[in-house]
Amino acid sequence: MRTYVGHQQAVSADDFVELALGTPVELWLGAEGETDEERAARLDAARDILADPEYSNLPDDVARIAAEVIEAHAPELFNVVPLAHPARRRRSSRKGAAA
C-alpha cells in the first residue's frame, strides 16, 4: 500500500510527517552532532516559520498528528507488563565463625 500526502509519496514515517507538516522533522528535533551555530540557525528558522501566517496552524497540526499516532499505536505503546523482581539473596549468618 502506498501513502500519499498531496501529490507526494511518503515512503517512511519521517517522509509522512515532513509532507504532512510541510517542514523537515530535523528542523524541530535537531540533528545528531549539530554545532551550537547550527542549532542557533535551526531555531531561528523554526521561529520564523512559526511567525509566518501560513504556518499558524502548525502547533495544532503537530498535536493532532501526535494524537493520531498514539491512538493508532496505543496497544503497543501501553502494553505494560510488570517485571518480576529477582529473589533477594539473604546473607548467611554463621554463628561462632572466626572474624
Side-chain angles (χ1 to χ4, degrees):
M1 178 189 261
R2 295 181 181 171
T3 303
Y4 288 88
V5 177
H7 298 290
Q8 298 288 325
Q9 182 180 2
V11 294
S12 69
D14 285 346
D15 284 348
F16 179 78
V17 173
E18 182 173 339
L19 291 168
L21 297 176
T23 62
V25 175
E26 292 81 15
L27 177 67
W28 308 105
L29 302 179
E32 187 175 329
E34 72 181 356
T35 65
D36 289 341
E37 288 177 350
E38 291 169 332
R39 182 175 189 274
R42 178 178 57 79
L43 294 176
D44 283 344
R47 278 190 283 278
D48 288 345
I49 288 172
L50 290 174
D52 186 332
E54 181 181 344
Y55 289 97
S56 63
N57 291 333
L58 187 61
D60 294 334
D61 291 344
V62 170
R64 180 184 46 76
I65 290 170
E68 289 173 0
V69 168
I70 290 170
E71 183 179 36
H73 298 284
E76 297 91 26
L77 292 172
F78 299 110
N79 186 13
V80 178
V81 178
L83 298 175
H85 292 285
R88 292 187 178 185
R89 291 179 52 182
R90 291 186 172 195
R91 289 185 167 180
S92 62
S93 59
R94 293 193 226 158
K95 292 187 178 182

